[in-house]
Amino acid sequence: MPISTFGHVGQARPGDLFASRLDLSLRGQHRPPRAGVCATVAHGAESIILADQYEDDEIHEDYFWYAGHGGRNGQTGRQVTDQEFNHRNRALARSQETGRPVRVFRRVASAGAAWQFRYEGLWRVVAHEHVAGKSGYRVYRFRLEPFYP
């Protein structure tokens, strides 16, 4: 298993575009080719992807709430069960404890391809909650703010 990397990887900087999830994975920016969270419970989250797939994500200019992992119907994007405190959600909570930076990538529309992924830079988890989401099921939400070393 590769060693966790917290912070920028290589020469990537905010605003850089990546052609696909596979491109992110092959370049070591966000290693899982499908999962939205790259993390371990012991060390926390290295990177996440905002892909507009969870109805309880809430994006603002200077912070965002990232809906935790699990309980979502892959076809509709709606929550169909309560989220559990699984390894990805525990890892995001661990990031709050450690204060380590999390690389954030956002899926954006592209003229030449279906989607690209824009590097949003380094963020930190500052809070989390377990609340009733828009569909009535309990979800974990993680508040991220810009990371300033």
Side-chain angles (χ1 to χ4, degrees):
M1 178 178 195
I3 296 173
S4 298
T5 302
F6 297 93
H8 300 298
V9 172
Q11 299 299 313
R13 292 299 176 260
D16 288 354
L17 293 173
F18 296 86
S20 65
R21 294 285 297 261
L22 181 59
D23 187 28
L24 286 171
S25 180
L26 292 173
R27 293 173 184 247
Q29 298 293 327
H30 181 80
R31 290 181 284 120
R34 292 194 45 85
V37 180
C38 179
T40 65
V41 174
H43 301 290
E46 299 178 41
S47 60
I48 62 172
I49 292 185
L50 290 168
D52 297 324
Q53 294 183 339
Y54 279 84
E55 63 188 19
D56 293 301
D57 286 346
E58 185 181 317
I59 312 300
H60 300 273
E61 191 170 314
D62 55 348
Y63 72 94
F64 63 91
W65 285 96
Y66 183 76
H69 177 78
R72 182 182 70 89
N73 178 305
Q75 300 282 327
T76 66
R78 294 180 60 92
Q79 286 297 125
V80 294
T81 63
D82 290 341
Q83 287 185 346
E84 297 177 3
F85 203 48
N86 59 37
H87 73 281
R88 288 189 176 97
N89 293 335
R90 287 193 327 262
L92 284 161
R94 179 74 176 132
S95 289
Q96 181 182 345
E97 294 170 2
T98 66
R100 288 184 176 132
V102 178
R103 288 184 306 283
V104 174
F105 298 90
R106 188 166 190 182
R107 185 176 76 167
V108 295
S110 171
W115 300 104
Q116 287 185 313
F117 294 86
R118 183 178 60 223
Y119 184 31
E120 300 294 319
L122 301 176
W123 295 70
R124 63 187 177 106
V125 179
V126 298
H128 71 280
E129 59 187 15
H130 192 220
V131 297
K134 291 180 180 177
S135 293
Y137 296 100
R138 295 195 57 85
V139 296
Y140 285 93
R141 293 190 344 146
F142 300 87
R143 183 180 167 122
L144 284 88
E145 297 178 355
F147 177 82
Y148 301 108

PDB file of all heavy atoms in Angstrom, residues 72-92:
ATOM      1  N   ARG A  72     -26.174   5.941  -0.181  1.00  0.00           N
ATOM      2  CA  ARG A  72     -26.694   6.656  -1.354  1.00  0.00           C
ATOM      3  C   ARG A  72     -27.051   5.673  -2.464  1.00  0.00           C
ATOM      4  O   ARG A  72     -26.336   4.723  -2.727  1.00  0.00           O
ATOM      5  CB  ARG A  72     -25.628   7.631  -1.862  1.00  0.00           C
ATOM      6  CG  ARG A  72     -26.044   8.468  -3.049  1.00  0.00           C
ATOM      7  CD  ARG A  72     -24.913   9.361  -3.495  1.00  0.00           C
ATOM      8  NE  ARG A  72     -23.835   8.612  -4.091  1.00  0.00           N
ATOM      9  CZ  ARG A  72     -23.763   8.305  -5.395  1.00  0.00           C
ATOM     10  NH1 ARG A  72     -24.691   8.696  -6.227  1.00  0.00           N
ATOM     11  NH2 ARG A  72     -22.746   7.615  -5.853  1.00  0.00           N
ATOM     12  N   ASN A  73     -28.160   5.924  -3.141  1.00  0.00           N
ATOM     13  CA  ASN A  73     -28.532   5.160  -4.319  1.00  0.00           C
ATOM     14  C   ASN A  73     -27.694   5.678  -5.485  1.00  0.00           C
ATOM     15  O   ASN A  73     -27.760   6.868  -5.810  1.00  0.00           O
ATOM     16  CB  ASN A  73     -30.033   5.331  -4.606  1.00  0.00           C
ATOM     17  CG  ASN A  73     -30.480   4.604  -5.862  1.00  0.00           C
ATOM     18  OD1 ASN A  73     -29.947   4.805  -6.952  1.00  0.00           O
ATOM     19  ND2 ASN A  73     -31.474   3.759  -5.696  1.00  0.00           N
ATOM     20  N   GLY A  74     -26.905   4.816  -6.112  1.00  0.00           N
ATOM     21  CA  GLY A  74     -26.024   5.220  -7.201  1.00  0.00           C
ATOM     22  C   GLY A  74     -26.745   5.742  -8.429  1.00  0.00           C
ATOM     23  O   GLY A  74     -26.193   6.531  -9.195  1.00  0.00           O
ATOM     24  N   GLN A  75     -27.981   5.332  -8.622  1.00  0.00           N
ATOM     25  CA  GLN A  75     -28.752   5.776  -9.789  1.00  0.00           C
ATOM     26  C   GLN A  75     -29.324   7.182  -9.598  1.00  0.00           C
ATOM     27  O   GLN A  75     -29.264   8.006 -10.490  1.00  0.00           O
ATOM     28  CB  GLN A  75     -29.910   4.797 -10.049  1.00  0.00           C
ATOM     29  CG  GLN A  75     -29.461   3.395 -10.324  1.00  0.00           C
ATOM     30  CD  GLN A  75     -28.949   3.212 -11.730  1.00  0.00           C
ATOM     31  OE1 GLN A  75     -29.430   3.856 -12.649  1.00  0.00           O
ATOM     32  NE2 GLN A  75     -27.966   2.355 -11.898  1.00  0.00           N
ATOM     33  N   THR A  76     -29.901   7.430  -8.410  1.00  0.00           N
ATOM     34  CA  THR A  76     -30.614   8.690  -8.185  1.00  0.00           C
ATOM     35  C   THR A  76     -29.798   9.717  -7.413  1.00  0.00           C
ATOM     36  O   THR A  76     -30.110  10.908  -7.452  1.00  0.00           O
ATOM     37  CB  THR A  76     -31.912   8.448  -7.392  1.00  0.00           C
ATOM     38  OG1 THR A  76     -31.574   7.990  -6.075  1.00  0.00           O
ATOM     39  CG2 THR A  76     -32.804   7.430  -8.093  1.00  0.00           C
ATOM     40  N   GLY A  77     -28.779   9.272  -6.670  1.00  0.00           N
ATOM     41  CA  GLY A  77     -27.997  10.175  -5.837  1.00  0.00           C
ATOM     42  C   GLY A  77     -28.653  10.478  -4.503  1.00  0.00           C
ATOM     43  O   GLY A  77     -28.082  11.169  -3.672  1.00  0.00           O
ATOM     44  N   ARG A  78     -29.841   9.975  -4.273  1.00  0.00           N
ATOM     45  CA  ARG A  78     -30.562  10.228  -3.016  1.00  0.00           C
ATOM     46  C   ARG A  78     -30.142   9.226  -1.951  1.00  0.00           C
ATOM     47  O   ARG A  78     -29.808   8.088  -2.240  1.00  0.00           O
ATOM     48  CB  ARG A  78     -32.063  10.149  -3.241  1.00  0.00           C
ATOM     49  CG  ARG A  78     -32.574  11.262  -4.161  1.00  0.00           C
ATOM     50  CD  ARG A  78     -34.065  11.166  -4.375  1.00  0.00           C
ATOM     51  NE  ARG A  78     -34.816  11.260  -3.137  1.00  0.00           N
ATOM     52  CZ  ARG A  78     -35.292  12.388  -2.623  1.00  0.00           C
ATOM     53  NH1 ARG A  78     -35.074  13.531  -3.258  1.00  0.00           N
ATOM     54  NH2 ARG A  78     -35.973  12.385  -1.511  1.00  0.00           N
ATOM     55  N   GLN A  79     -30.194   9.679  -0.711  1.00  0.00           N
ATOM     56  CA  GLN A  79     -29.938   8.791   0.419  1.00  0.00           C
ATOM     57  C   GLN A  79     -31.106   7.816   0.544  1.00  0.00           C
ATOM     58  O   GLN A  79     -32.269   8.218   0.437  1.00  0.00           O
ATOM     59  CB  GLN A  79     -29.805   9.578   1.724  1.00  0.00           C
ATOM     60  CG  GLN A  79     -28.518  10.332   1.886  1.00  0.00           C
ATOM     61  CD  GLN A  79     -27.281   9.466   1.926  1.00  0.00           C
ATOM     62  OE1 GLN A  79     -26.376   9.689   1.132  1.00  0.00           O
ATOM     63  NE2 GLN A  79     -27.216   8.500   2.800  1.00  0.00           N
ATOM     64  N   VAL A  80     -30.786   6.540   0.780  1.00  0.00           N
ATOM     65  CA  VAL A  80     -31.824   5.527   0.949  1.00  0.00           C
ATOM     66  C   VAL A  80     -31.696   4.808   2.294  1.00  0.00           C
ATOM     67  O   VAL A  80     -32.584   4.038   2.662  1.00  0.00           O
ATOM     68  CB  VAL A  80     -31.827   4.517  -0.221  1.00  0.00           C
ATOM     69  CG1 VAL A  80     -32.233   5.212  -1.518  1.00  0.00           C
ATOM     70  CG2 VAL A  80     -30.469   3.855  -0.376  1.00  0.00           C
ATOM     71  N   THR A  81     -30.595   5.056   3.029  1.00  0.00           N
ATOM     72  CA  THR A  81     -30.405   4.508   4.370  1.00  0.00           C
ATOM     73  C   THR A  81     -29.544   5.491   5.171  1.00  0.00           C
ATOM     74  O   THR A  81     -28.886   6.370   4.600  1.00  0.00           O
ATOM     75  CB  THR A  81     -29.674   3.137   4.372  1.00  0.00           C
ATOM     76  OG1 THR A  81     -28.364   3.312   3.836  1.00  0.00           O
ATOM     77  CG2 THR A  81     -30.418   2.100   3.558  1.00  0.00           C
ATOM     78  N   ASP A  82     -29.558   5.311   6.468  1.00  0.00           N
ATOM     79  CA  ASP A  82     -28.664   6.093   7.323  1.00  0.00           C
ATOM     80  C   ASP A  82     -27.219   5.739   7.001  1.00  0.00           C
ATOM     81  O   ASP A  82     -26.914   4.589   6.672  1.00  0.00           O
ATOM     82  CB  ASP A  82     -28.901   5.765   8.804  1.00  0.00           C
ATOM     83  CG  ASP A  82     -30.233   6.271   9.330  1.00  0.00           C
ATOM     84  OD1 ASP A  82     -30.833   7.174   8.709  1.00  0.00           O
ATOM     85  OD2 ASP A  82     -30.667   5.750  10.377  1.00  0.00           O
ATOM     86  N   GLN A  83     -26.339   6.714   7.114  1.00  0.00           N
ATOM     87  CA  GLN A  83     -24.910   6.439   6.960  1.00  0.00           C
ATOM     88  C   GLN A  83     -24.370   5.862   8.264  1.00  0.00           C
ATOM     89  O   GLN A  83     -24.816   6.235   9.348  1.00  0.00           O
ATOM     90  CB  GLN A  83     -24.138   7.718   6.629  1.00  0.00           C
ATOM     91  CG  GLN A  83     -24.353   8.205   5.224  1.00  0.00           C
ATOM     92  CD  GLN A  83     -23.493   9.401   4.887  1.00  0.00           C
ATOM     93  OE1 GLN A  83     -22.910  10.044   5.754  1.00  0.00           O
ATOM     94  NE2 GLN A  83     -23.415   9.715   3.611  1.00  0.00           N
ATOM     95  N   GLU A  84     -23.412   4.967   8.117  1.00  0.00           N
ATOM     96  CA  GLU A  84     -22.728   4.391   9.270  1.00  0.00           C
ATOM     97  C   GLU A  84     -21.395   5.106   9.443  1.00  0.00           C
ATOM     98  O   GLU A  84     -20.893   5.752   8.522  1.00  0.00           O
ATOM     99  CB  GLU A  84     -22.513   2.902   9.054  1.00  0.00           C
ATOM    100  CG  GLU A  84     -23.814   2.124   8.928  1.00  0.00           C
ATOM    101  CD  GLU A  84     -23.584   0.653   8.654  1.00  0.00           C
ATOM    102  OE1 GLU A  84     -22.416   0.206   8.609  1.00  0.00           O
ATOM    103  OE2 GLU A  84     -24.589  -0.053   8.479  1.00  0.00           O
ATOM    104  N   PHE A  85     -20.822   4.943  10.625  1.00  0.00           N
ATOM    105  CA  PHE A  85     -19.503   5.534  10.887  1.00  0.00           C
ATOM    106  C   PHE A  85     -18.455   4.549  10.364  1.00  0.00           C
ATOM    107  O   PHE A  85     -17.702   3.937  11.106  1.00  0.00           O
ATOM    108  CB  PHE A  85     -19.346   5.828  12.381  1.00  0.00           C
ATOM    109  CG  PHE A  85     -18.327   6.883  12.686  1.00  0.00           C
ATOM    110  CD1 PHE A  85     -18.299   8.095  12.003  1.00  0.00           C
ATOM    111  CD2 PHE A  85     -17.387   6.677  13.684  1.00  0.00           C
ATOM    112  CE1 PHE A  85     -17.360   9.070  12.296  1.00  0.00           C
ATOM    113  CE2 PHE A  85     -16.440   7.647  13.993  1.00  0.00           C
ATOM    114  CZ  PHE A  85     -16.436   8.834  13.293  1.00  0.00           C
ATOM    115  N   ASN A  86     -18.444   4.385   9.031  1.00  0.00           N
ATOM    116  CA  ASN A  86     -17.555   3.426   8.367  1.00  0.00           C
ATOM    117  C   ASN A  86     -16.132   3.979   8.291  1.00  0.00           C
ATOM    118  O   ASN A  86     -15.859   5.082   8.767  1.00  0.00           O
ATOM    119  CB  ASN A  86     -18.099   3.080   6.973  1.00  0.00           C
ATOM    120  CG  ASN A  86     -18.244   4.300   6.084  1.00  0.00           C
ATOM    121  OD1 ASN A  86     -17.429   5.219   6.119  1.00  0.00           O
ATOM    122  ND2 ASN A  86     -19.298   4.332   5.291  1.00  0.00           N
ATOM    123  N   HIS A  87     -15.234   3.212   7.683  1.00  0.00           N
ATOM    124  CA  HIS A  87     -13.817   3.614   7.688  1.00  0.00           C
ATOM    125  C   HIS A  87     -13.576   4.954   6.992  1.00  0.00           C
ATOM    126  O   HIS A  87     -12.735   5.728   7.424  1.00  0.00           O
ATOM    127  CB  HIS A  87     -12.930   2.508   7.121  1.00  0.00           C
ATOM    128  CG  HIS A  87     -13.017   2.314   5.645  1.00  0.00           C
ATOM    129  ND1 HIS A  87     -14.042   1.628   5.023  1.00  0.00           N
ATOM    130  CD2 HIS A  87     -12.197   2.733   4.661  1.00  0.00           C
ATOM    131  CE1 HIS A  87     -13.848   1.633   3.727  1.00  0.00           C
ATOM    132  NE2 HIS A  87     -12.734   2.292   3.474  1.00  0.00           N
ATOM    133  N   ARG A  88     -14.310   5.266   5.944  1.00  0.00           N
ATOM    134  CA  ARG A  88     -14.093   6.555   5.269  1.00  0.00           C
ATOM    135  C   ARG A  88     -14.582   7.714   6.137  1.00  0.00           C
ATOM    136  O   ARG A  88     -13.929   8.752   6.227  1.00  0.00           O
ATOM    137  CB  ARG A  88     -14.753   6.554   3.897  1.00  0.00           C
ATOM    138  CG  ARG A  88     -14.015   5.679   2.901  1.00  0.00           C
ATOM    139  CD  ARG A  88     -14.543   5.843   1.496  1.00  0.00           C
ATOM    140  NE  ARG A  88     -13.745   5.066   0.577  1.00  0.00           N
ATOM    141  CZ  ARG A  88     -14.070   3.839   0.146  1.00  0.00           C
ATOM    142  NH1 ARG A  88     -15.174   3.255   0.557  1.00  0.00           N
ATOM    143  NH2 ARG A  88     -13.282   3.209  -0.696  1.00  0.00           N
ATOM    144  N   ASN A  89     -15.726   7.550   6.775  1.00  0.00           N
ATOM    145  CA  ASN A  89     -16.236   8.615   7.650  1.00  0.00           C
ATOM    146  C   ASN A  89     -15.357   8.756   8.894  1.00  0.00           C
ATOM    147  O   ASN A  89     -15.093   9.872   9.343  1.00  0.00           O
ATOM    148  CB  ASN A  89     -17.692   8.345   8.020  1.00  0.00           C
ATOM    149  CG  ASN A  89     -18.599   8.467   6.804  1.00  0.00           C
ATOM    150  OD1 ASN A  89     -18.279   9.165   5.852  1.00  0.00           O
ATOM    151  ND2 ASN A  89     -19.722   7.777   6.828  1.00  0.00           N
ATOM    152  N   ARG A  90     -14.875   7.645   9.431  1.00  0.00           N
ATOM    153  CA  ARG A  90     -13.954   7.722  10.576  1.00  0.00           C
ATOM    154  C   ARG A  90     -12.659   8.413  10.167  1.00  0.00           C
ATOM    155  O   ARG A  90     -12.083   9.178  10.942  1.00  0.00           O
ATOM    156  CB  ARG A  90     -13.670   6.325  11.137  1.00  0.00           C
ATOM    157  CG  ARG A  90     -14.849   5.746  11.888  1.00  0.00           C
ATOM    158  CD  ARG A  90     -14.523   4.518  12.729  1.00  0.00           C
ATOM    159  NE  ARG A  90     -13.502   3.635  12.232  1.00  0.00           N
ATOM    160  CZ  ARG A  90     -13.715   2.506  11.555  1.00  0.00           C
ATOM    161  NH1 ARG A  90     -14.946   2.128  11.258  1.00  0.00           N
ATOM    162  NH2 ARG A  90     -12.715   1.749  11.171  1.00  0.00           N
ATOM    163  N   ALA A  91     -12.193   8.151   8.957  1.00  0.00           N
ATOM    164  CA  ALA A  91     -10.960   8.784   8.478  1.00  0.00           C
ATOM    165  C   ALA A  91     -11.141  10.300   8.334  1.00  0.00           C
ATOM    166  O   ALA A  91     -10.227  11.068   8.667  1.00  0.00           O
ATOM    167  CB  ALA A  91     -10.525   8.165   7.150  1.00  0.00           C
ATOM    168  N   LEU A  92     -12.297  10.739   7.847  1.00  0.00           N
ATOM    169  CA  LEU A  92     -12.549  12.182   7.754  1.00  0.00           C
ATOM    170  C   LEU A  92     -12.591  12.811   9.143  1.00  0.00           C
ATOM    171  O   LEU A  92     -12.061  13.906   9.346  1.00  0.00           O
ATOM    172  CB  LEU A  92     -13.846  12.443   6.987  1.00  0.00           C
ATOM    173  CG  LEU A  92     -13.730  12.263   5.464  1.00  0.00           C
ATOM    174  CD1 LEU A  92     -15.094  12.068   4.830  1.00  0.00           C
ATOM    175  CD2 LEU A  92     -13.005  13.436   4.841  1.00  0.00           C
TER     176      LEU A  92
END
